[in-house]
Amino acid sequence: MIQPSRRARTREHKGAASLDERYLERSGSQDDTEEAPSDERQSFGQGPATWMTVRVSERGTSATLTQLAPGGDTDLTPSDIAQALTEHYNIEHGIDEEAIVAVLGRALTKPHSVMKCNQVIARATNAIPGDDGRIEWEKGLSEERLTEAYRVHAAIRQQPLEAVMKSDARGIIVAPDQVLARIHPPTPGKPGRNIHGEELNVSGRQAPIEAGAHVRIEEDAVISEAYGYVGLKDDELSIAPALWLSADAMRAVYIHLELLAKPPLPTPEMVHAMIAQAGVTQGTDDRAVEKLCSKRLSPKRKRYLTLARGSKAMNGEDTRIEYTFDPEKRAGTILPDGSIDFRERNLVIGVAEDQQLATVHPATEGLKGYTIFGEELPATDGTEYVYKAGENVRAEGDPPTAFYATVEGNAHVAGDTLHVKPLYVISGDVDYETGNIDTPIDVQIAGTVRSGFTVESGGTITIGGSIEPGATVVAQGDVIVAQGIVGEHTNVVARGLISMGTVQCKFIQNAAVLAKEGIEIGSYIFNAQVRCGGQIAVHTGGGKRGGSIVGGEVFAAQSIQATQIGSSTTAGTIIGLNADPVSAIKLAKLRKQLRELDVSIDRQLHSLGVDSIDVERLKNLIRQAPNARKAMISEAVDKLYEMAELREKVNTDMEPLIEKNAEVAEGATIEIAGTVHSGVEIDIGDAIFMVSKEIKRSAFYLEEEHVAHRSI
């Protein structure tokens, strides 16, 4: 075998080491310079004492002679060692004969000894790696630009649309079937061979690219499959269709953000394909598609265009009544002095006989909708209602479709029923000249209801003046008083049977007022008994008393709003919330009756000389009484029993009312914009809170069966 020169061999070894490192790197294996030790002796040659040990690297890139024992055989030759390497270690390639000659020469200088060494005696011929594959991007595209453009993919998914259009991301739009890049494959390189004669190959790396959404790779071409924004992330090239979809699936919008390059002009086929790829099957606007395809958009300006819309479900309309007049009763305007201006209240709605009052439009069926994905949106049909003809009203149709007045009068709407009531007009006061008034129709009084007189109406009562002490005013509808309601024995009731049942006046002083719904006061409430089933609002008109509730008892079901409660000079102010004003009044009367009975029973017991109702003791008292007093004492005992029986009945009647009075509407509050003075009692349901020191700007409410308050 021809041996190379030592210089050439050294150069070859250096090159081989470098190539071996490249081979290990490409193959992904661990460093092959670590040798697998093999201390097992292998005999060879002619003598029994001739042996050697060789370490072979795990991947067969080298073999190292570590020990050589000639065994006294001075005729040992390099060929013997080479043959042993083949037979015992399967080394067929890259044997360094010169190295073997040198090491054998040293060993034979002491043929009976064991020579230890670390001599490489065989090396692999390493492969020459091939070139890596590479990507050749088409004009206008580069890895850097595509990585930047990928930001658009996240921007276009934002909600709402305004957030998308605020994005500063810049993209690149491509068309379907557009070639985006060419892939140049790696080359195989020049093969090598390890010491066992096995071939070694180190090909170049594949080009770092993967096909993502709407991208395909055909042979050496990377091709777009959609009209949209192209972007590169983690070696994956993908396309996001230039379409924003609303979260409620009711709108598909073409998005044109700022671009890094001029976009291709889409064709209708491209746009329809993009819409279909997004799963949109309903509501495409062909005119919008044509508009998008008619002109290339500027890369520097943002635009959007709705390409598809869903159809909202249209619920059917409920039965609807259309009046020929304005049916709304409005609160009278409160003037600066707290008085009520009737001009805007719409109290009198005059209609003529046979005048049409209303037309009824029947309920309609609902119309189903759909999302842009073809998902059906259900719709409900309108609810059928039947409107009714009340007093002096004629209905036509079954169910009624039109209503007409049968008399001239004042039109009213009470829930689902129309009434026409003649109007009773009094141009002055209610006094001895008019007498008491009791009429089923609306009453309009220009002046004042004088002391001791009564006005009762089956409709609404409007009073241009005031209600004096001892007067009684009862309406089935509303009571509106321009001035005040005054007097300890004055009673005003708005039952709300044909309307909301409200009371509106300038002030209430020392009087009792009950309303089914709300009570609105222009100035103040003083030492009065006031209850309603809605809310009480006390405005700040009429001077320094404005907005105040001082003395008396004021209760509402929903809320009380005022500026000041109580005063530093007046005691006994109680305000509160309970569910039912009528029940509260009954309960208050029963509690008063109970207190009076307790006092009367205590007096009767004291007069009889006993401290409790003891039946046996009372019988003995009658038996032991002198004949002249026996009848009187017997009568007093009977009276005591009657009062005790009545007291038990009052307690029984109070039980359901106490339970009802404890109920409070959810969210019911008392809101005081100014001061709640010390000594005021606040009752909410069964809970009682005594104000021990002034509280400013607070709202009171029920919390876990206690009265709580917070700042407002």
Side-chain angles (χ1 to χ4, degrees), residues 389-401:
E391 296 177 59
N392 304 313
V393 175
R394 180 181 82 254
E396 290 187 357
D398 186 17
T401 57

Side-chain angles (χ1 to χ4, degrees), residues 527 550-552 566-574 678-680:
N527 202 31
V550 179
S567 74
S568 57
T569 58
T570 304
T573 304
I574 301 174
S678 174
V680 170

Side-chain angles (χ1 to χ4, degrees), residues 630-667:
K630 194 179 290 288
M632 184 183 68
I633 291 175
S634 178
E635 184 179 348
V637 169
D638 289 342
K639 183 67 173 176
L640 179 63
Y641 285 150
E642 286 177 10
M643 288 189 292
E645 186 176 341
L646 180 58
R647 187 182 190 281
E648 184 176 349
K649 182 180 182 303
V650 169
N651 272 321
T652 301
D653 291 344
M654 282 173 59
E655 287 179 3
L657 295 175
I658 289 172
E659 183 176 347
K660 190 171 185 64
N661 196 59
E663 297 174 0
V664 177
E666 183 177 353

Side-chain angles (χ1 to χ4, degrees), residues 283-302:
T284 300
D285 185 343
D286 290 334
R287 292 183 62 184
V289 173
E290 290 177 7
K291 181 178 179 181
L292 177 62
C293 300
S294 64
K295 184 180 180 181
R296 193 188 309 271
L297 297 176
S298 168
K300 295 184 179 181
R301 299 185 66 183
K302 299 177 184 179

